[in-house]
Amino acid sequence: MTSSLAKIEDFPPDPVEFFKKILQEAAKGHPDGFMQEMNLATVDEEYGVLNRTVLYRGLTQDNCVFYITHRYVRNFKNLQANPKACITFYMPDVKDGAGNQSTWQVRLIGATAVELAQSEMDALWAKENLAAQIRGHICPCGEPINYDELKAKHDQFLQDHRGKSIERPASYTAWKFQPQRWDFLKVGLDQIADRVQYRLQKDGKWASMHVST
């Protein structure tokens, strides 16, 4: 048996730049078209806290993580009632430039969710694949369904809109997340993990430091 300490080295002063770098390294182990997932935790009146896995859609112009949803789903209602959230990215088997393999976990702690302006929605909608666009019109999220009835509805919608653009539904929206802290954890086989944490200061700048796991 062996044991060692993981060490995060050469991290930039800006946490978003560090996040981008890790995402790029993680993507190398996946085929083209791969979309990174993230875990979103929200406050829920019925269950207390709810976690769900959603797709990471990128960064806004002001470098905030964002994701896309619909106004009728529970996660939208959670954030509308209480905009506090936490996001976790889990990226196993990430290789650095020297070929060393590690697992990374990146968290946005104490994040405040802000709904994007409706003026930004058309550009996002245009990038959605066909299945996502149809889902936005025909799938009643969380409600009991009959598969055969839903399939008939899907097939009819597809036929009616073949060769045509699909209108963006009013329910389609997106949230961006403004964290108080970015937390980066790195660990390898038989290692004690290292963490680098960026803490937002009163002047709007980030202070970075190693913290124990």
Side-chain angles (χ1 to χ4, degrees):
M1 297 178 65
T2 63
S3 177
S4 62
L5 293 174
K7 186 177 182 182
I8 300 173
E9 300 182 272
D10 302 325
F11 49 92
D14 182 355
V16 176
E17 293 306 313
F18 196 20
F19 174 60
K20 289 179 182 178
K21 179 181 178 181
I22 297 170
L23 279 182
Q24 290 175 353
E25 294 297 330
K28 292 178 181 177
H30 296 279
D32 292 342
F34 167 75
M35 297 187 72
Q36 177 65 49
E37 298 172 341
M38 63 187 192
N39 179 269
L40 170 65
T42 60
V43 179
D44 184 85
E45 289 187 359
E46 184 177 1
Y47 298 110
V49 176
L50 278 183
N51 286 322
R52 76 278 289 161
T53 300
V54 299
L55 290 177
Y56 165 67
R57 294 303 190 97
L59 297 167
T60 59
Q61 291 185 349
D62 55 351
N63 278 335
C64 291
V65 169
F66 78 93
Y67 93 112
I68 294 168
T69 188
H70 285 267
R71 291 173 175 271
Y72 50 71
V73 303
R74 186 183 285 259
N75 57 47
F76 175 86
K77 296 174 182 177
N78 289 163
L79 293 172
Q80 191 177 42
N82 187 333
K84 292 299 182 182
C86 183
I87 290 176
T88 302
F89 293 84
Y90 180 72
M91 293 168 278
D93 305 329
V94 180
K95 291 184 179 180
D96 60 21
N100 299 313
Q101 187 168 294
S102 300
T103 292
W104 284 88
Q105 177 180 274
V106 181
R107 294 188 296 161
L108 281 68
I109 301 174
T112 299
V114 178
E115 191 174 6
L116 297 188
Q118 284 300 302
S119 59
E120 302 179 64
M121 294 300 105
D122 285 337
L124 294 176
W125 178 254
K127 296 178 182 179
E128 297 284 8
N129 62 31
L130 180 60
Q133 290 187 340
I134 294 177
R135 171 187 174 272
H137 280 274
I138 71 167
C139 290
C141 183
E143 296 182 14
I145 60 167
N146 176 281
Y147 174 82
D148 292 332
E149 292 177 0
L150 185 62
K151 184 178 186 306
K153 190 175 181 180
H154 168 276
D155 294 349
Q156 185 63 52
F157 190 96
L158 183 62
Q159 180 178 336
D160 292 344
H161 293 81
R162 192 174 301 278
K164 303 176 184 178
S165 61
I166 298 176
E167 182 180 2
R168 173 173 67 88
S171 62
Y172 184 81
T173 190
W175 294 88
K176 68 178 181 180
F177 299 91
Q178 301 169 325
Q180 297 178 38
R181 296 185 181 183
W182 282 83
D183 188 272
F184 296 82
L185 180 148
K186 175 186 178 183
V187 67
L189 183 64
D190 296 324
Q191 286 188 331
I192 298 171
D194 187 22
R195 287 168 63 198
V196 165
Q197 196 169 94
Y198 294 78
R199 300 180 178 181
L200 187 62
Q201 306 300 295
K202 292 182 179 180
D203 60 2
K205 296 182 180 179
W206 294 98
S208 59
M209 65 205 74
H210 288 271
V211 296
S212 61
T213 57

